[in-house]
């Protein structure tokens, strides 16, 4: 469907962008102000998983769980076209048993103090601008 901001992506296309992107932005609020924090991530058992340093993690995931969003972009080499996906869902912290399953997949260790967080996707919204190859 064509919208004022581009062509809407299907849910399958949104997942394709998430599977191929390596860096995204976790979106959250602090003191009622919106923030975006870039993070490398991976998909693991339906979760978007990323690691944070302890200070950032305390602001992103309050009280163990909170509502947040995650966004990734995919650009053509020339930059003439782009796909962007925003995912809304619950932010939380991985359990110790889950951490062992993702530690060897290239997430930053933050000097041995990494806090492993996730976003459980609930809503995916994707747009394409320009002619995608």
């Amino acid at each position: 469907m064509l919208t004022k901001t581009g062509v809407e992506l299907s849910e399958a296309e949104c997942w394709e962008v998430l599977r191929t992107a390596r860096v995204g932005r976790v979106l959250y609020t602090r003191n009622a102000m919106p923030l975006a924090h870039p993070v490398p991530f991976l998909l693991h058992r339906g979760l978007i998983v990323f690691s944070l340093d302890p200070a950032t993690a305390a602001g992103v995931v309050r009280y163990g769980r909170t509502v947040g969003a995650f966004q990734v972009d995919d650009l053509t080499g020339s930059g003439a076209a782009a796909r962007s996906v925003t995912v809304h869902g619950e932010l939380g912290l991985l359990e110790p048993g889950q951490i062992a399953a993702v530690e060897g997949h290239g997430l930053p260790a933050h000097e041995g103090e990494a806090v492993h967080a996730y976003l459980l996707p609930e809503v995916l919204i994707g747009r394409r601008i320009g002619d995608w190859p």
Side-chain angles (χ1 to χ4, degrees):
M1 166 188 283
L2 182 62
T3 69
K4 289 182 180 181
T5 58
V7 176
E8 191 174 310
L9 298 178
S10 68
E11 184 172 333
E13 290 171 307
C14 289
W15 281 109
E16 177 188 337
V17 173
L18 285 164
R19 278 191 302 275
T20 58
R22 295 292 163 247
V23 176
R25 292 171 297 283
V26 61
L27 309 167
Y28 61 102
T29 60
R30 184 171 62 196
N31 299 327
M33 298 298 292
L35 295 170
H37 188 80
V39 291
F41 72 98
L42 60 94
L43 298 179
H44 178 71
R45 297 185 178 178
L47 301 174
I48 297 169
V49 178
F50 48 94
S51 63
L52 302 165
D53 65 89
T56 302
V60 172
V61 184
R62 294 180 179 269
Y63 313 112
R65 287 195 167 82
T66 191
V67 175
F70 193 82
Q71 187 174 47
V72 297
D73 298 315
D74 189 9
L75 305 171
T76 59
S78 67
R83 299 184 297 177
S84 183
V85 174
T86 302
V87 184
H88 296 228
E90 177 185 295
L91 288 165
L93 300 175
L94 290 183
E95 299 291 328
Q98 294 171 304
I99 294 170
V102 301
E103 276 189 320
H105 292 282
L107 295 178
H110 299 285
E111 299 181 6
E113 296 185 9
V115 176
H116 291 81
Y118 68 83
L119 184 119
L120 174 61
E122 294 176 10
V123 177
L124 284 82
I125 302 166
R127 299 270 190 267
R128 183 184 78 231
I129 300 170
D131 293 324
W132 195 257

